[in-house]
Amino acid sequence: MVSLQLGNRTVVITGAGQGQGAAEARLLAEAGARVIATDLAEVPPAGLAGLASSSSASLVYRQLDVSDASGWSNLAAWIQSEGWQVDGLVNNAGITQRSRLLDVSVADLQKVYEVNVAGSLLGIQSLSPLMGSGTSVVNVGSVAGLTAHYPVAYTASKWALRGLSQVAAMELGPHGIRVNTVHPGFIETPMTASAKPEFRQTTLAETPLGRTGSVEEVAAVVLFLLSPLSSFVTGAEIPVDGGQSAHGGAKSVSDALR
Ligand code: NAD
């Protein structure tokens, strides 16, 4: 029977302390999953307040820097020691870096890649051996990975993540592990709270739905991709962006000719 419920399923989420990751932790716990929420902080961050201590929600918090291979090994060993398998992995942790093309340094590029690309690779390498048939990985890309978004290190990292996702979908498919990517547009989180007002206005002008998205709207698509309802979907990329990436730059022309 297909269902959006995730009862008896264990899901690991990275960068779950705030923003989209915290919303995913909340929704997946509500859907009945055992959520292993991870982030940089030693103690459960404020974004998980209530949930990590609530007896009704099945959520445990673990410290994890996704760029640290030994941290991933420790997490995998701990999950095994608990006698669990992994049914879902959400590679959500990400950082931005807003240098422009002629200013960005190789060190900037490496720093962003370590989290956004290597972090997701390490997650897949460490946890896929604990994943059986019918399990699912969701990588969190960005409309930056579908376009020529100006922060070049971030944009290049999200394009690289798409390549990693497609290889993982191909290689893990025979094991029954699905790998899909969501590409959020402008979502209201602490990451975008620091964006310039001009970025907000121009992005809204390029977004057919005419508004920013909420963390819950991304979490809902992640839930679908983790659930058996998407059992024949792998290697897919789903923009959650109010239509921003779909018009290929034609919206300003359409708007100008109204
Ligand atoms: P956020 O900055 O609000 O939260 C990111 C979380 O990742 C934080 O809790 C942070 O502590 C954690 N993190 C950072 N580096 C880490 C590391 N090395 N190891 C473990 N955790 C780490 O960001 P968000 O807006 O919620 O973004 C979540 C994901 O969505 C990111 O991959 C981001 O690139 C992507 N995204 C966001 C938007 C948006 O508009 N907010 C748009 C497109 C894509």
Side-chain angles (χ1 to χ4, degrees):
M1 156 130 169
V2 285
S3 162
L4 267 179
Q5 287 299 309
L6 297 180
N8 298 319
R9 292 186 167 233
T10 300
V11 180
V12 174
I13 308 175
T14 65
Q18 64 179 29
Q20 291 172 40
E24 288 150 11
R26 281 192 293 273
L27 185 65
L28 301 179
E30 256 178 58
R34 175 192 292 121
V35 175
I36 301 172
T38 68
D39 209 309
L40 291 172
E42 272 179 41
V43 292
L48 298 175
L51 257 182
S53 55
S54 149
S55 55
S56 57
S58 179
L59 184 140
V60 280
Y61 178 77
R62 301 281 299 184
Q63 181 184 26
L64 175 71
D65 177 341
V66 295
S67 64
D68 174 18
S70 62
W72 277 109
S73 307
N74 292 341
L75 179 68
W78 173 74
I79 291 170
Q80 277 183 303
S81 73
E82 294 288 328
W84 300 333
Q85 72 155 37
V86 174
D87 302 291
L89 166 63
V90 185
N91 283 315
N92 163 79
I95 56 172
T96 190
Q97 207 287 338
R98 298 196 171 104
S99 298
R100 305 294 295 244
L101 179 66
L102 298 186
D103 300 320
V104 73
S105 68
V106 170
D108 293 333
L109 197 73
Q110 284 170 337
K111 193 172 165 205
V112 178
Y113 266 62
E114 263 179 26
V115 178
N116 296 5
V117 188
S120 302
L121 172 68
L122 289 170
I124 289 168
Q125 288 178 329
S126 309
L127 298 191
S128 61
L130 307 187
M131 299 175 79
S133 186
T135 61
S136 168
V137 176
V138 180
N139 291 328
V140 180
S142 168
V143 290
L146 299 169
T147 62
H149 189 43
Y150 75 92
V152 62
Y154 181 75
T155 295
S157 77
K158 294 296 186 178
W159 280 84
L161 180 61
R162 292 178 67 194
L164 168 63
S165 299
Q166 300 311 80
V167 174
M170 180 178 68
E171 302 279 329
L172 298 177
H175 302 282
I177 305 172
R178 299 181 294 107
V179 183
N180 293 291
T181 307
V182 294
H183 291 299
F186 193 129
I187 309 298
E188 300 288 354
T189 70
M191 182 184 276
T192 44
S194 60
K196 287 184 174 170
E198 295 84 350
F199 176 65
R200 176 179 291 269
Q201 287 150 16
T202 49
T203 303
L204 284 176
E206 295 292 344
T207 303
L209 290 186
R211 64 174 177 83
T212 58
S214 71
V215 291
E216 290 79 13
E217 289 174 310
V218 179
V221 180
V222 171
L223 170 58
F224 166 69
L225 290 172
L226 291 174
S227 82
L229 280 184
S230 57
S231 54
F232 202 48
V233 180
T234 194
E237 304 186 84
I238 305 185
V240 188
D241 66 351
Q244 186 192 345
S245 61
H247 58 77
K251 185 171 183 299
S252 58
V253 178
S254 168
D255 290 348
L257 297 177
R258 260 183 231 286

